[in-house]
Every structure is written in structure tokens, then in C-alpha cells.
Amino acid sequence: MFNKKKRKKDMEEQQVNVEQEEVATEQTQETTEETTKTKEEELTEKLEELNKKYLLLYSDFENFRKRTSKEKIELIQNAAENTIKDLLPVVDDYERALANFEKFEDEKFIKAKEGIELIYNKLMSILTQKGLKPMNAKGEKFDENLHEAIAQMPAESEEQKGVILDETTKGYYLHEKVIRYAKVVVAM
């Protein structure tokens, strides 16, 4: 009988142990599921954060690349701007010389004029190839973004007010950018 009681007690202890193990296993599974979910959530959040950082860096890099390529193009187009600006007074001198040669009818002056015209035309074709364009201001409406008023004259009619009567110094564009403003006389 003692053996029976002992066995029964052992069996009860085993059953209690099994029940305790089952409860512990269930609790472990629940905590494992919870930690797995929280780890998944953490990883998902981290992935989203890294994706946001990546997109920001990518967009910053794209903006940088576009800006630098635009600056390179502008730099190449306007690299000779200062040299061309320095040559504009020479172009003005050629134009004045050609205008003065119109007064003379002597054969020597005509041949000299042809030589100066040849040099002037070559210079202007080279400058035009580099993007230089002269402004036509005479007869146009005064625009402070393109013209510099150096004198004002009374207008003969109401329609003439604000119109450019004379151009003392020609203005020029270099690739659609004003590099020298036209100096003009405006009707007021």
C-alpha cells in the first residue's frame, strides 16, 4: 500500500509538473510572440526610417547634380563674358570709323574703308558665334532692364512719350543676358 500511495503521489507530482510545464510553455510562447511582434514592429519602423533617409539623400543628390550641371553650362556659356565686354569699346570704335569713312569719296579712303569693314565683319562674326547680339533700342519703348537713360527730350506727341529717340551707345546681349545696357535719349 505504501507503494501505491507513493506511486499515486509521484503521479500527482508528475501531473503537477506537466501542468506547470504546459503553463510555462504557454507563457513562453506568448512572450515569444509578443517579443517577435515588437521586434517586427521595431524592424519595420527602422526600415521606414532608413527609407526616408535614403529618399532625402537621393533627392538632395539629384538637386545637387542638376544645380551643378546648370552652373557648368552657364559657366561655359559665359566664360568669355569679361573678354567680350573688354572688346565692345573696340567694336564701337570700328563702327565710328566706318561712319566717318562715309563722308569721304577719295579712292584711298574707300579702300581703307573696305579693309576696316573686312576686319569689323570678321570680328563681329566671331563675337556672334560666341553668343553676342546687339540690341536695337532706337524707336522702342524705354525699358529700365535693358536701357540706361542718359538724357531726356520733350516729346512731340503723347504717343512718343517713353520712346527712345536716340542711342548714344549700343547695348549687347550675351546668350540672352544683358552684358551692356544701351545708353539712350528718351522722349518725355
Side-chain angles (χ1 to χ4, degrees), residues 121-136:
N121 289 335
K122 281 184 182 180
L123 177 63
M124 286 309 293
S125 70
I126 291 169
L127 292 175
T128 302
Q129 288 173 1
K130 300 297 180 194
L132 185 72
K133 273 192 324 190
M135 270 185 215
N136 293 324

Side-chain angles (χ1 to χ4, degrees), residues 127-154:
L127 292 175
T128 302
Q129 288 173 1
K130 300 297 180 194
L132 185 72
K133 273 192 324 190
M135 270 185 215
N136 293 324
K138 196 170 185 179
E140 299 288 321
K141 279 281 193 191
F142 177 76
D143 183 355
E144 63 213 19
N145 297 320
L146 303 174
H147 310 117
E148 181 181 337
I150 59 168
Q152 295 178 353
M153 293 186 70

Side-chain angles (χ1 to χ4, degrees), residues 21-34:
E21 284 177 12
E22 286 176 1
V23 169
T25 305
E26 285 177 14
Q27 288 176 347
T28 307
Q29 285 177 347
E30 287 176 7
T31 51
T32 305
E33 286 176 10
E34 287 175 7

